[in-house]
Amino acid sequence: MALLDVGKRIKTLAQWMDESKRLVVFTGAGISTESGLPDFRGPDGIWTRKAKGLPTQWPDLSLAEPNPSHMAIAELQKLGKLNFLISQNIDNLHLKSGIRPELLAELHGNVTKLRCSRCGAQVDKSTGLDTCSCGGKLEHSVVNFGQSLPQKDLSDSYHHSQNCDLFIVVGSSLVVTPAADMPRIALESGARLVIINKGETPYDPVAHLRFEEQIGDVLPPTIAQLKELMEQPHT
Ligand code: ZN
């Protein structure tokens, strides 16, 4: 099947966003490579190196800034159109872009946060605390291979995937479970599935709309069109 011209696909996506009542966005490393960050699970990614027992060093993520695609998702929130954001990224760029913490699940943790091993509360590393107000020990929130994912983030993600009408994948190849289950859950609930990713995903044959283009060439112009649509009187 030949893909429609990108302008037409962007127009369709903007219309679907306008129609959507419960929009969920799912992001992976692809959105942050445009901020100059490495893909952590790539061939020389930090997780790949850890899994091989090679020495690793965290890149200095405090220098990274949200790019226009992160800002486009924050704009969706401003427009009242973002129901929930699920991210595989640990780089803190969604929070830095202004996403409200209650709308965000970080499935793999966040490099700037500690998590209480007893109650699950998150605390900024910059506080210097090592004990939670509940008395539990504060530990790094980043999830390594083989460790279980944060329970609340995971259950919120399943809940919102099941209850959305539009599920937009941004920069993930959708191969790591359980994150990779979420598009299927959304589809089974009758949602439209949109994938913006360079490179194949297992969901390509069932996606309602597919972008192979750079994320930065898709999301910002789509949100600009959505704003125009929302300004028009609806009948
Ligand atoms: Zn606690």
Side-chain angles (χ1 to χ4, degrees):
M1 186 184 74
L3 286 177
L4 286 170
D5 131 304
V6 65
K8 285 183 183 154
R9 279 177 285 134
I10 285 175
K11 193 174 168 200
T12 302
L13 179 53
Q15 279 167 351
W16 288 359
M17 285 176 169
D18 189 33
E19 290 165 19
S20 174
K21 303 274 181 275
R22 295 178 311 277
L23 190 165
V24 170
V25 179
F26 181 103
T27 64
I31 191 171
S32 295
T33 51
E34 291 175 29
S35 283
L37 294 182
D39 178 345
F40 292 96
R41 291 171 194 272
D44 201 42
I46 193 160
W47 266 285
T48 315
R49 292 181 64 88
K50 270 194 173 175
K52 288 180 183 163
L54 295 168
T56 54
Q57 195 182 7
W58 293 107
D60 188 356
L61 295 174
S62 62
L63 301 173
E65 290 296 332
N67 64 45
S69 299
H70 292 102
M71 297 317 294
I73 297 172
E75 191 65 32
L76 265 181
Q77 171 184 267
K78 261 188 224 161
L79 294 168
K81 275 290 175 185
L82 182 68
N83 202 245
F84 202 67
L85 173 59
I86 306 167
S87 186
Q88 296 175 293
N89 299 339
I90 59 167
D91 54 32
N92 196 42
L93 292 183
H94 286 306
L95 289 173
K96 230 177 182 178
S97 77
I99 294 293
R100 297 203 301 272
E102 65 271 25
L103 296 190
L104 175 66
E106 292 175 307
L107 294 175
H108 297 155
N110 179 317
V111 281
T112 71
K113 310 272 185 205
L114 300 171
R115 188 187 304 275
C116 173
S117 55
R118 185 188 291 175
C119 74
Q122 286 203 41
V123 177
D124 269 337
K125 273 187 190 171
S126 59
T127 61
L129 295 171
D130 58 7
T131 310
C132 177
S133 53
C134 81
K137 190 174 182 294
L138 293 173
E139 295 172 338
H140 290 285
S141 68
V142 172
V143 178
N144 289 311
F145 271 130
Q147 290 183 323
S148 54
L149 303 188
Q151 204 46 53
K152 184 175 187 301
D153 294 75
L154 193 58
S155 59
D156 285 352
S157 300
Y158 278 121
H159 171 79
H160 287 285
S161 300
Q162 208 159 34
N163 288 283
C164 71
D165 56 14
L166 178 58
F167 191 94
I168 304 174
V169 176
V170 181
S172 172
S173 50
L174 300 174
V175 289
V176 185
T177 53
D181 297 334
M182 286 162 198
R184 182 179 47 75
I185 291 167
L187 277 175
E188 285 170 1
S189 308
R192 283 165 165 157
L193 175 63
V194 177
I195 300 175
I196 309 168
N197 188 56
K198 267 189 168 299
E200 270 181 27
T201 87
Y203 287 92
D204 292 349
V206 288
H208 296 93
L209 203 54
R210 181 70 171 93
F211 294 87
E212 282 268 2
E213 289 80 5
Q214 293 279 358
I215 297 159
D217 293 337
V218 176
L219 267 189
T222 303
I223 304 306
Q225 287 203 19
L226 171 65
K227 279 171 96 167
E228 282 177 27
L229 285 173
M230 288 178 75
E231 280 159 12
Q232 289 168 7
H234 286 65
T235 49

